């Protein structure tokens, strides 16, 4: 929405929309267009088919065999993604509206997410690469490293795409090298992890696009991050007020307690 109306918003309000051009957002938002763009750009791409294109699906299956990955063309957080292991699964995937089928790339143990950042002229800053494990559609274990081959592929993709500001590239290592399966031209779920290790892309976006300063992001190649569930205990009367009024007029009136992870209170 911001990309579509960026010029109008900026002209009428004086605010700056920190977002990529509409063409970039459309490529990242639609996973079918992502695959088509990677292919037309001469970059590595997963074998794919529009689930509604029977001929393309048959060709994909003939070339790759089972398993396949089925996913919505638009969406995130691994919602609606499932493994296609047999003909019954394939028939179900074909019945889904706006779905994509892809070859199953590599293994879960060789998945990477790369945070990149381009200035207003498309110049790429150093990237931040993590090998990761997924739980509930998000990164829950991450190891930062140099990962030279993965980093080079992600940076080649972003240089070709030329987003404005943050761009997250997701890849898996395969026998033919790292292959991208998703591009998110926005701040991603691993932004706070990168920020902790000094790769402060939110600050960089404000400094560059709003204040006009050069982008200065460091090359970060070391670090480990683990995410975990935590408990927040809330006064029932606070919930009652939220349900009645839609907000807490004075949150400090209600006691709450956040569990100290791994420690006795």
């Amino acid at each position: 929405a911001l990309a579509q109306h960026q010029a109008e918003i900026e002209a009428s309000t004086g605010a700056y929309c920190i977002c990529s051009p509409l063409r970039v957002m459309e490529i990242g938002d639609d996973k079918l267009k992502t695959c088509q763009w990677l292919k037309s750009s001469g970059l590595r791409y997963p074998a794919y088919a529009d689930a509604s294109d029977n001929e393309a699906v048959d060709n994909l299956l003939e070339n790759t065999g089972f398993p396949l990955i089925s996913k919505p063309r638009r969406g995130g957080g691994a919602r609606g993604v499932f493994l296609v292991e047999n003909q019954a699964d394939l028939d179900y995937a074909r019945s889904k509206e706006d779905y994509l089928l892809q070859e199953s790339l590599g293994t879960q143990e060789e998945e990477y997410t790369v945070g990149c950042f381009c200035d207003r002229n498309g110049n790429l800053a150093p990237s931040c690469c993590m090998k990761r494990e997924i739980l509930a559609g998000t990164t829950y274990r991450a190891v930062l490293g140099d990962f030279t081959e993965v980093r080079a592929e992600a940076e080649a993709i972003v240089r070709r795409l030329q987003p404005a500001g943050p761009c997250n590239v997701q890849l898996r290592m395969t026998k033919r090298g790292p292959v991208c399966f998703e591009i998110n031209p926005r701040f991603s779920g691993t932004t706070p992890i990168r920020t902790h290790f000094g790769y402060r892309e939110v600050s960089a976006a404000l400094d560059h696009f709003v204040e006009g300063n050069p982008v200065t992001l460091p090359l970060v190649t070391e670090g480990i991050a683990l995410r975990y569930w935590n408990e927040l205990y809330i006064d029932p009367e606070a919930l009652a007020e939220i349900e009645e009024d839609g907000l807490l007029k004075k949150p400090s009136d209600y006691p709450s307690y956040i569990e100290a992870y791994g420690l006795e209170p």
Side-chain angles (χ1 to χ4, degrees):
L2 289 177
Q4 189 172 1
H5 299 285
Q6 183 173 11
E8 176 188 350
I9 292 170
E10 292 177 0
S12 62
T13 68
Y16 188 87
C17 297
I18 300 177
C19 61
S20 287
L22 185 59
R23 65 163 188 86
V24 174
M25 300 300 295
E26 288 175 341
I27 290 169
D29 185 54
D30 186 329
K31 295 174 180 60
L32 175 59
K33 290 184 178 180
T34 300
C35 292
Q36 293 170 335
W37 178 83
L38 288 167
K39 182 178 181 180
S40 66
S41 300
L43 298 158
R44 294 192 189 102
Y45 63 94
Y48 66 93
D50 184 335
S52 65
D53 186 334
N54 291 330
E55 183 179 355
V57 172
D58 290 341
N59 289 337
L60 174 63
L61 184 60
E62 181 179 350
N63 291 329
T64 67
F66 293 118
L68 299 170
I69 299 295
S70 181
K71 60 179 70 172
R73 287 177 55 177
R74 298 170 181 84
R79 289 184 295 274
V81 178
F82 61 92
L83 192 65
V84 176
E85 300 182 278
N86 51 48
Q87 188 62 46
D89 292 342
L90 184 60
D91 292 341
Y92 176 67
R94 280 174 145 159
S95 73
K96 303 286 284 182
E97 186 175 354
D98 287 333
Y99 256 66
L100 173 73
L101 286 162
Q102 287 181 345
E103 67 173 303
S104 181
L105 294 168
T107 66
Q108 294 180 356
E109 290 71 34
E110 287 292 336
E111 183 161 318
Y112 299 83
T113 180
V114 186
C116 300
F117 193 98
C118 287
D119 68 14
R120 63 176 72 251
N121 298 314
N123 298 312
L124 179 64
S127 60
C128 185
C129 187
M130 305 179 193
K131 188 175 185 180
R132 70 172 185 173
E133 294 179 55
I134 301 292
L135 180 66
T138 191
T139 301
Y140 85 108
R141 291 178 182 169
V143 178
L144 283 70
D146 192 29
F147 305 120
T148 306
E149 191 176 1
V150 174
R151 182 190 301 277
E153 182 70 9
E155 291 182 351
I157 290 167
V158 175
R159 285 194 182 95
R160 182 77 172 79
L161 186 62
Q162 291 207 315
C167 186
N168 170 255
V169 182
Q170 298 175 14
L171 314 92
R172 278 193 178 181
M173 182 62 75
T174 71
K175 292 180 180 179
R176 64 183 188 270
V179 178
C180 169
F181 62 88
E182 190 163 319
I183 303 171
N184 297 306
R186 54 172 171 77
F187 296 111
S188 73
T190 43
T191 297
I193 294 176
R194 288 188 291 273
T195 299
H196 175 81
F197 292 108
Y199 194 88
R200 304 177 64 84
E201 59 207 85
V202 176
S203 295
L206 295 172
D207 288 344
H208 178 67
F209 291 104
V210 180
E211 301 295 338
N213 298 318
V215 175
T216 55
L217 285 168
L219 178 64
V220 182
T221 58
E222 290 185 351
I224 297 173
L226 307 176
R227 282 176 167 156
Y228 59 89
W229 294 106
N230 204 355
E231 284 73 45
L232 169 63
Y233 300 96
I234 300 172
D235 189 325
E237 292 184 5
L239 176 59
E241 183 177 332
I242 289 175
E243 290 176 336
E244 182 175 347
D245 299 334
L247 77 163
L248 293 178
K249 297 182 179 66
K250 193 175 180 184
S252 59
D253 285 348
Y254 302 98
S256 62
Y257 171 70
I258 299 175
E259 190 84 58
Y261 182 73
L263 302 174
E264 291 295 328

